[in-house]
Amino acid sequence: MTDDSAPADGTPVTFTVPISEPFARAAAQVLKDLRELAANAFPDEVGGPDAPFRRDAAAFDAQPEPTREARRSMHGMIFDLVQLSWSNALDHVRALEHDVVMQPPPVWSPLTLSRAVMENCLFLHYLIDPEISAAKRLARCAGLWRTDVEHMEKAAKAFGPAQEAEIAQTKDYVLTALRDVGAVERTNAQGRLIGYEVDGEKSGMDINITEEAKAMPPHLPAPYRILSGAAHGRPWMTNRARVLAEDSEDDLVGEAATVMTAVVVVAGALETALKVWRDYFGLNLGDTLEHLNGLYRMFFTEAVNLGTDSVR
């Protein structure tokens, strides 16, 4: 799942080896370093007048009332959702730091946690992608908001009439807010709601993570599909840990390749999120991104050496 590397003695390192304690400690340390770097990356001031977020704000300000205020409000909600996703991503990196040093070593949990990091970073990217228009951004937010309400409705049924009544009020509020923004429902031939349209810009009801994962660094091959296999307990993925356990007393055995994949995905997800923060808000994050890649490269070199030691 990572690039093979050949040490001086010619022994190839594929990380298909047990998770040693030194390797786990090195992985935990780089995850901590990446998290702290990302958390402290942002300057106090946002970018200049050409930053896409200012372009969006100007487009909303050009609208007549009450559309102007409604779109300003949704723009603010987008910022809030982006910050929520970022905080949630960093929280899962912190959890992963502790997970990789567990004894006995973890099996598939590193991939599950790194998947949560990636999904939150891609959710962030979906909302503030600088390449889309202000209207499409609103259409995306409208679909996500309505989808969340549908999930809330389903959950409320398990908690009784009082909760259902509360969510019904929430739904009324959301539908009114979407109308005020100018978000028009899109339906298919059967009348099923499939998304929203704002000023001619269309979006579906939810993020397509597989598509959005294309924003990740190109050296990561199908990261979402690989991590989903572990997170959803698919036998094609999880059976490998049982095969590796055949000569041990354990039911499942983890390997260094799993931890390596988790670290690579986290580094790529944080890089993707930082770049979209940079591009949408016009931030100067050049030093941060260079430092992030330097941390990853140093860890990879250290991991190769540790992997070589474990097969000797």
Side-chain angles (χ1 to χ4, degrees):
M1 296 180 197
T2 58
D3 293 336
D4 290 353
S5 181
D9 64 2
T11 304
V13 177
T14 61
F15 300 107
T16 55
V17 294
I19 302 169
S20 67
E21 289 190 31
F23 178 85
R25 288 196 300 270
Q29 184 61 54
V30 76
L31 287 166
K32 181 176 184 290
D33 292 342
L34 289 169
R35 174 176 57 81
E36 291 179 346
L37 176 68
N40 298 310
F42 302 101
D44 294 333
E45 297 183 1
V46 294
D50 295 331
F53 96 96
R54 295 193 186 278
R55 175 202 66 201
D56 287 357
F60 301 147
D61 288 345
Q63 295 290 321
E65 291 292 7
T67 305
R68 177 191 305 157
E69 186 56 36
R71 295 192 176 189
R72 281 175 172 172
S73 179
M74 184 171 280
H75 201 207
M77 185 176 76
I78 288 171
F79 295 164
D80 184 64
L81 291 174
V82 164
Q83 183 58 58
L84 175 64
S85 295
W86 182 239
S87 297
N88 200 33
L90 296 180
D91 178 64
H92 280 81
V93 179
R94 184 169 58 87
L96 183 57
E97 295 165 29
H98 297 281
D99 183 68
V100 297
V101 293
M102 286 196 308
Q103 288 298 326
V107 182
W108 294 117
S109 53
L111 297 192
T112 301
L113 288 166
S114 62
R115 178 179 182 266
V117 176
M118 183 178 69
E119 285 201 15
N120 277 277
C121 289
L122 293 178
F123 190 89
L124 183 158
H125 183 277
Y126 181 74
L127 283 174
I128 59 170
D129 182 354
E131 299 300 320
I132 65 174
S133 68
K136 192 171 188 69
R137 201 175 318 284
L138 294 181
R140 285 184 174 184
C141 186
L144 292 171
W145 203 6
R146 181 66 181 273
T147 297
D148 265 13
V149 169
E150 291 181 356
H151 290 315
M152 293 164 68
E153 283 184 304
K154 292 175 183 177
K157 292 179 181 179
F159 296 98
Q163 186 71 14
E164 288 183 278
E166 181 179 336
I167 300 305
Q169 291 182 330
T170 299
K171 183 176 182 178
D172 288 342
Y173 170 79
V174 170
L175 292 177
T176 299
L178 294 182
R179 284 194 295 268
D180 291 345
V181 164
V184 179
E185 293 184 356
R186 299 172 53 231
T187 57
N188 61 16
Q190 290 73 42
R192 179 175 174 271
L193 181 63
I194 59 171
Y196 279 88
E197 180 176 340
V198 176
D199 297 346
E201 292 279 16
K202 299 176 182 179
S203 180
M205 288 293 287
D206 208 349
I207 180 175
N208 183 327
I209 293 288
T210 304
E211 283 298 310
E212 205 65 23
K214 294 176 181 177
M216 293 279 283
H219 65 270
L220 292 169
Y224 183 67
R225 296 190 186 280
I226 291 173
L227 303 189
S228 293
H232 294 305
R234 303 307 303 180
W236 69 266
M237 186 79 175
T238 58
N239 187 59
R240 175 173 175 79
R242 186 168 61 182
V243 172
L244 293 171
E246 288 178 350
D247 295 328
S248 74
E249 296 180 356
D250 300 313
D251 293 330
L252 302 173
V253 170
E255 58 187 331
T258 304
V259 175
M260 273 302 299
T261 300
V263 172
V264 172
V265 168
V266 165
L270 294 179
E271 177 184 348
T272 300
L274 287 169
K275 284 182 176 179
V276 78
W277 277 111
R278 176 198 66 189
D279 295 343
Y280 186 65
F281 291 102
L283 305 176
N284 182 4
L285 298 180
D287 289 345
T288 297
L289 288 164
E290 183 176 352
H291 190 185
L292 183 148
N293 282 294
L295 285 171
Y296 167 70
R297 287 194 297 269
M298 286 189 294
F299 167 69
F300 188 81
T301 300
E302 183 179 10
V304 167
N305 292 332
L306 291 170
T308 303
D309 289 341
S310 67
V311 298
R312 282 174 177 163

